[in-house]
Amino acid sequence: MTLKAVLFDFNGVIINDEPIHQQLIDQVLIAENLRPKSGEFRQVCLGRSDRACIRELLQRRGRVVSEDYLTQIIKRKAEAYQQELAKLEKLPTYPGLEDLIFQVRSRNLKLAVVSGALRSEVELVLQRLGLAEYFCAIVAGDDITTSKPEPDGYLLAVERLNEIEPSLNLQPAECLAIEDTPAGITAAKRAKIPVVGVANTYPFHMLQRQANWAVDYLSDLDLEYVQQVYTHRNQYVA
């Protein structure tokens, strides 16, 4: 068994945009004549798609909306997100991101993004960071009907990487997921993909209890050690 692909979460792993999303979600609620509640964004939205997040926030307030109306809300939020990013001269990323991507590429491992974010948002950020060409596949929130902690996004990423390069014969256990939330970690593990939790959003000790590995920063991830584990052990998936 060898490591063949590294699957990155997006929000909280590649881009540090939680404050932007929280502001925009609050604006969504206010536009619906509803009041944001302190701490609710982190509880309901982190690690999940906009559709799952907004639907639950509305349901908690007794508001049930159609899928079409929900799509309109998400579209408006996405437009506002792009406007917010356009105001930034430099996008907020995490230390060690580019070096880790370089390490992955130097080992000839495949790269993919698995996220609940919209494809337009993922592609915009990767292009602005100059990283788009390195990612073979993107599985975004508009590609699947479920949200993390369901494993569908990760399973689809494996499927797409195999479509791109059939000779790879990629299996979930030959991937490594990089996640920052319990929902994301659970999604990867349900897909039988080993996962490293990076403490960008939740404390290290919390992620350590849930992930196969945990690091404080992306720069702490020892890819050589991880590769050795994949090569010599077959029992690392919990």
Side-chain angles (χ1 to χ4, degrees):
M1 191 75 70
T2 58
L3 176 62
K4 296 181 179 179
V6 180
L7 312 180
F8 281 74
D9 180 35
F10 179 65
N11 309 107
V13 171
I14 290 178
I15 183 167
N16 182 7
D17 58 358
E18 179 188 326
I20 296 174
H21 282 288
Q22 182 167 359
Q23 172 191 333
L24 296 178
I25 289 292
D26 286 351
Q27 290 176 6
V28 165
L29 292 175
I30 292 169
E32 294 293 315
N33 294 314
L34 300 170
R35 181 177 298 178
K37 297 179 182 177
S38 177
E40 195 174 36
F41 174 81
R42 287 181 63 87
Q43 178 188 6
V44 174
C45 299
L46 289 188
R48 303 175 71 201
S49 68
D50 278 349
R51 185 171 295 272
C53 159
I54 295 170
R55 182 190 290 117
E56 181 169 338
L57 290 176
L58 294 178
Q59 286 177 344
R60 285 179 170 215
R61 291 157 173 80
R63 184 77 57 84
V64 178
V65 298
S66 68
E67 290 301 313
D68 286 344
Y69 188 74
L70 196 55
T71 298
Q72 293 174 26
I73 293 176
I74 292 168
K75 182 179 178 181
R76 289 196 297 269
K77 178 181 175 289
E79 291 169 351
Y81 178 80
Q82 296 197 17
Q83 291 168 7
E84 289 299 317
L85 291 194
K87 298 176 185 177
L88 302 176
E89 184 176 341
K90 183 178 180 182
L91 297 185
T93 58
Y94 291 94
L97 173 66
E98 292 188 8
D99 182 62
L100 178 57
I101 290 175
F102 175 80
Q103 288 186 56
V104 173
R105 293 179 59 236
S106 69
R107 289 169 165 80
N108 295 314
L109 306 174
K110 302 301 178 185
L111 275 162
V113 169
V114 180
S115 174
L118 297 179
R119 175 173 294 274
S120 60
E121 297 176 0
V122 177
E123 290 179 342
L124 171 65
V125 169
L126 293 181
Q127 287 165 4
R128 277 195 57 180
L129 294 176
L131 300 175
E133 63 183 294
Y134 305 136
F135 286 86
C136 303
I138 295 172
V139 174
D142 21 6
D143 293 316
I144 51 177
T145 57
T146 60
S147 173
K148 298 174 184 176
E150 297 304 318
D152 303 53
Y154 277 107
L155 295 173
L156 182 57
V158 173
E159 181 181 322
R160 286 189 173 172
L161 288 172
N162 279 323
E163 289 173 355
I164 292 167
E165 190 171 329
S167 62
L168 192 64
N169 191 28
L170 182 66
Q171 304 300 314
E174 296 171 323
C175 301
L176 174 69
I178 302 179
E179 281 284 357
D180 68 305
T181 66
I185 291 170
T186 299
K189 297 186 81 172
R190 286 180 178 175
K192 305 301 182 186
I193 295 175
V195 56
V196 57
V198 58
N200 291 335
T201 308
Y202 287 86
F204 175 90
H205 66 85
M206 180 182 295
L207 301 184
Q208 188 179 39
R209 290 197 298 267
Q210 300 179 45
N212 297 84
W213 297 277
V215 294
D216 282 308
Y217 306 100
L218 290 173
S219 55
D220 294 336
L221 179 55
D222 187 342
L223 206 54
E224 182 176 350
Y225 168 75
V226 172
Q227 281 190 296
Q228 290 174 1
V229 172
Y230 277 64
T231 301
H232 296 109
R233 293 174 57 197
N234 291 323
Q235 292 82 32
Y236 46 78
V237 181

